[in-house]
Amino acid sequence: MVNDGTLTKGQATRAHLVAVARDLFAAQGYDGTPIEAVLKAADVSRGALYHHFANKEALFEAVFLDLEAEIAERVAVVAARATDPAAALRAGCLEWVRLAGGPVIQRVVLLDAPSVLGWERWRAIEEDNALGMLKVGLAALEAEPGRPADAALPGGLVDTFAHVLLASLNEIALMVARSPRPRAALRDGARAVDELLRRLLGI
């Protein structure tokens, strides 16, 4: 690593490959993107690609992890603008469903990743990112002073409710991704998130 904020040549090549592959995977899908297409679009040698990635699946995982980090950052930014824990949790959940309407996230994160990486690996990465954020949001909600007793989370169930929310949000996101009417699905998904949070958490 260098210390002046610039990338080494190797790091720059890796970042370039990930950026090119991201565009190709989003446009053509994993199965429709041969390694040769990545090499041609990135204008790098096969040796340069395999220096950084063992195979196409490893390159795809790097793209997926970059997108996961981007999603987490965008959700965190939206949630941070909220004025209280309930609003922050709602804003973060709605932002994730809104992001699911984007073609890159639809194709790479929601449609291809579970089959390419395997459901268990995909789920583990999702939990490392989204689940942790939901736990923080729910814990903040539980600790908020002045919450009505009947709206409080049952004691010790923050982790369980985080899993419930994550599963629900991912199903809504998949519904949006697979719908032939994405705008209507996104609108219905946002309404469903609002209703879910109201009924589950009283917010």
Side-chain angles (χ1 to χ4, degrees):
M1 290 287 289
V2 291
N3 297 320
D4 61 356
T6 61
L7 297 176
T8 66
K9 183 177 179 180
Q11 290 167 339
T13 299
R14 186 185 189 281
H16 177 57
L17 283 165
V18 170
V20 168
R22 171 175 167 158
D23 290 342
L24 291 172
F25 288 142
Q28 300 167 192
Y30 179 82
D31 290 336
T33 304
I35 281 291
E36 290 73 19
V38 178
L39 297 176
K40 181 178 180 180
D43 193 23
V44 300
S45 69
R46 188 175 296 270
L49 187 148
Y50 285 119
H51 174 74
H52 295 283
F53 304 102
N55 48 39
K56 187 171 79 164
E57 181 181 324
L59 176 59
F60 179 88
E61 182 167 338
V63 171
F64 173 67
L65 289 172
D66 265 17
L67 281 168
E68 282 285 305
E70 183 178 306
I71 291 166
E73 181 179 357
R74 291 172 69 175
V75 168
V77 167
V78 168
R81 297 181 186 139
T83 56
D84 59 72
L89 183 63
R90 174 180 279 104
C93 291
L94 289 172
E95 179 67 6
W96 165 227
V97 172
R98 188 189 69 78
L99 290 172
V104 176
I105 289 172
Q106 279 188 16
R107 170 65 78 167
V108 176
V109 175
L110 296 173
L111 299 181
D112 280 353
S115 59
V116 174
L117 303 178
W119 189 89
E120 289 187 1
R121 174 64 176 150
W122 174 76
R123 176 69 170 177
I125 295 170
E126 282 285 284
E127 289 188 357
D128 282 346
N129 291 283
L131 187 65
M133 297 179 75
L134 285 173
K135 286 180 180 178
V136 169
L138 287 170
L141 186 66
E142 185 180 44
E144 185 183 24
R147 289 271 294 162
D150 60 354
L153 283 171
L157 289 184
V158 164
D159 283 4
T160 303
F161 271 56
H163 278 90
V164 170
L165 265 182
L166 178 61
S168 299
L169 292 171
N170 281 344
E171 282 301 312
I172 292 171
L174 284 167
M175 179 199 73
V176 172
R178 291 171 173 159
S179 174
R181 299 170 57 240
R183 288 187 180 179
L186 184 57
R187 183 178 62 249
D188 290 345
R191 289 176 57 203
V193 169
D194 264 336
E195 191 66 15
L196 173 68
L197 293 175
R198 185 182 69 81
R199 295 190 182 204
L200 187 66
L201 301 170
I203 63 174

